[in-house]
Each structure stands twice: as structure tokens, then as C-alpha cells.
Amino acid sequence: QVHLQESGPGLVKPSETLSLTCTVSGGSISSFCLNWIRQPPEKGLEWIGYICDSGRTNYNPSLRSRVTISVDMSESQSSLKLRSVTAADTAVYYCAKWSVQEWAFDIWGQGTMVTASS
Amino acid sequence: EIVLTQSPGTLSLSPGERATLSCRASQSVSSNYVAWYQQKPGQAPRLLIYRASSRITGIPDRFSGSGSGTHFTLTISRLEPEDFAVYYCQHYDNSPPLTFGGGTKVEI
């Protein structure tokens, strides 16, 4: 069973870059598309983007200019970088596995809270 | 971009009652690409229903999904105490983004 675990700083200063890592265990990161999703406090879910097949990416147009998602196969990790953060980027950030059988997110990490504040 | 609108925003019910949650799409979508998730406080969302009406293994049969075109429904036939949570619908499209509805909170 695939397991996902997010990690990274819980506090980022405005205008700086948010950097998070999702570590995959129990399966091969190359066998599925790894997505990043966020949830501001007391709000709904927002899809950020995904990476598949060792490098194919797709991003939410609203974030595309600031986001980079990458993968390190050797470490079985995906990285999320979000540049020029503001308070509006404060959220719980999740990584999630996309299932092409269900056409849905079937496995989620526990999430990590990131606060953009000076 | 397809927009998903969930209603009501909050549903106040008692254990044993039936819950009917609505998800409306701004344009017709394939039911193959509609899913429902449950989220409890402090937890990640959990996939309940995929392809609009198929239950994930282990999800109780009191949960059911239906719908087509622009209107989809999640029904909980008899609410159990552990069912009080927020529910999200989600749609996949070839064009980004993947979209979520705004959520329905089912509260006691």
C-alpha cells in the first residue's frame, strides 16, 4: 500500500519561496501521477498541480507562474516550490496519488500546515 | 473551466436521518470523472465514491452516489455519528485544473 508523507518548513516569510517534499513509500513514485493540493484554514480544497512519468507536469492556471513541481526518483520524492508567497498561500498542503482506475485521488498524505508570515 | 457548486453549505441532521448532498457542474461533464470525498477535522480527505456512483472498497453501503450531466448527488441513507464531516465533490478534465466543489458540512 502506497504511503505519502509531506515535510517542510511550517513558516515562510512573505515574498520568499515555499518548499515542500512528499516522500512516497510502499510503491514506485514512477507508477502514478503525484498531485499537490492545498486547503486554506476553514476553506475548501484547491488543486495545485501534478507530476507524472518522471517529469510531465500540469499546473493550476491560477498558480502556474509561481509553481514548480519536480520529482527525484532515486529518493522517491516529489518537491513543490511556490515562489513569492503571500498570506493567501497560508494553507495545509497535501500530496495525493491520482488513480487512473478511479479517476480520483485515492491516497493522501496527512498534510502539512504552512504559514506565510513575517 | 468547469465550476462545481455544492449545496447546501451546511446540512443539520440527526443520527439515523437521510442526508442528500448536491453537486452541480457549470457545464455537462462525464460521470466517469466525478468523485466524492469525506473530510473530518484535522484529517486529509478520504475518497468515498468514484465515477459518480462506485463505492471504494470498505465504504459502507449507506453511502451512495448518483447523477449525470450537470447534477450529481451523494446520499447517506442513515447517518451514523462518524458520518458528520465535510464532503467534497471533484471533477477531472483533460484541461486543467482539476476542480473541487466548495464542500457541504454535515453537522448534528
Side-chain angles (χ1 to χ4, degrees):
Chain A
Q1 171 77 332
V2 171
H3 179 74
L4 307 176
Q5 179 70 57
E6 305 88 349
S7 59
L11 183 64
V12 182
K13 289 183 170 56
S15 80
E16 295 191 346
T17 297
L18 178 159
S19 294
L20 296 175
T21 297
C22 175
T23 301
V24 178
S25 58
S28 172
I29 194 172
S30 64
S31 65
F32 57 87
C33 293
L34 192 290
N35 288 253
W36 288 91
I37 295 158
R38 69 180 183 178
Q39 184 173 36
E42 305 304 317
K43 292 189 177 180
L45 300 163
E46 180 182 33
W47 174 73
I48 299 170
Y50 66 65
I51 188 164
C52 309
D53 302 336
S54 303
R56 179 170 58 94
T57 56
N58 206 344
Y59 301 127
N60 188 324
S62 69
L63 298 170
R64 182 175 290 142
S65 63
R66 298 194 292 132
V67 172
T68 301
I69 297 174
S70 60
V71 67
D72 183 336
M73 295 294 181
S74 65
E75 296 291 335
S76 200
Q77 292 179 332
S78 171
S79 293
L80 169 70
K81 293 190 186 300
L82 181 64
R83 296 174 289 278
S84 304
V85 301
T86 69
D89 296 310
T90 294
V92 175
Y93 285 76
Y94 296 100
C95 56
K97 170 183 168 290
W98 180 256
S99 167
V100 294
Q101 283 75 39
E102 285 90 12
W103 293 101
F105 302 108
D106 63 339
I107 297 173
W108 295 65
Q110 66 183 28
T112 188
M113 180 68 198
V114 180
T115 302
S117 174
S118 55
Chain B
E1 176 186 339
I2 293 172
V3 176
L4 300 179
T5 302
Q6 290 188 242
S7 61
T10 302
L11 201 50
S12 298
L13 295 168
S14 300
E17 290 192 297
R18 182 185 187 89
T20 303
L21 288 66
S22 173
C23 176
R24 290 190 181 271
S26 56
Q27 58 187 275
S28 184
V29 300
S30 169
S31 59
N32 279 331
Y33 303 138
V34 174
W36 289 90
Y37 301 83
Q38 176 193 67
Q39 187 179 34
K40 296 181 180 178
Q43 297 184 17
R46 176 175 71 147
L47 178 62
L48 300 176
I49 301 286
Y50 64 99
R51 297 183 190 267
S53 60
S54 296
R55 261 189 317 276
I56 286 292
T57 301
I59 299 301
D61 61 6
R62 63 180 181 272
F63 290 91
S64 63
S66 63
S68 63
T70 61
H71 188 209
F72 298 87
T73 301
L74 175 69
T75 301
I76 311 171
S77 58
R78 289 178 58 85
L79 283 164
E80 296 287 341
E82 61 268 27
D83 300 336
F84 291 91
V86 180
Y87 294 84
Y88 294 95
C89 59
Q90 172 249 310
H91 173 256
Y92 166 83
D93 197 340
N94 281 330
S95 300
L98 285 142
T99 52
F100 291 93
T104 291
K105 182 179 182 179
V106 179
E107 65 175 22
I108 298 177

